[in-house]
Amino acid sequence: QVELVESGGGLVQAGGSLRLSCSASGRTFNRETVAWFRQAPGNDREFVAALFRGSSGIYYADSVKGRFTISRDNAKTTVYLQMNSLRPEDTGVYYCALDSRLILSSLFDSRQYDYWGQGTQVTVSS
């Protein structure tokens, strides 16, 4: 029912920037929790950033705090992840996730999200 599409990934040098986009056709992110997760080869999927219940709260993983910014464009039904000062350890597939009922204590648990995009590859060279 819900289709999420990520875009904006690519190959950049360390210290560079990328902006990822997450869009849902025919929907808005006004009242839903939208999060970014990432997964490197051989690693578990890890939390990156989230907008909790629309604009109720903004949360970041410690590893990206101060470098990444999550934001929302409600008119375009798009959530962005601005990624600055990229490091090789930021490399991975980045996924957009969405949930309508998620509570704050479950924000970091990927199993709690109902909908996922297909992911976009981010590669940071040293």
Side-chain angles (χ1 to χ4, degrees), residues 10-28:
L11 196 160
V12 298
Q13 295 181 343
S17 297
L18 286 172
R19 188 178 71 169
L20 307 184
S21 299
C22 173
S23 298
S25 180
R27 296 180 61 92
T28 70

Side-chain angles (χ1 to χ4, degrees), residues 43-117:
N43 291 352
D44 296 330
R45 190 167 298 184
E46 66 175 353
F47 174 84
V48 177
L51 297 173
F52 178 67
R53 295 187 179 178
S55 57
S56 295
I58 303 175
Y59 299 88
Y60 297 97
D62 289 340
S63 59
V64 307
K65 193 172 299 182
R67 299 187 298 119
F68 292 8
T69 303
I70 186 171
S71 61
R72 177 181 60 187
D73 180 355
N74 291 321
K76 302 297 182 181
T77 66
T78 303
V79 170
Y80 302 98
L81 185 68
Q82 178 67 46
M83 308 163 65
N84 298 327
S85 302
L86 283 163
R87 305 165 180 170
E89 57 260 40
D90 295 318
T91 293
V93 178
Y94 283 68
Y95 298 92
C96 179
L98 182 147
D99 195 88
S100 297
R101 298 183 175 88
L102 185 147
I103 60 176
L104 186 58
S105 61
S106 299
L107 189 70
F108 306 98
D109 186 358
S110 64
R111 298 170 297 179
Q112 301 300 314
Y113 290 80
D114 290 333
Y115 303 102
W116 293 84

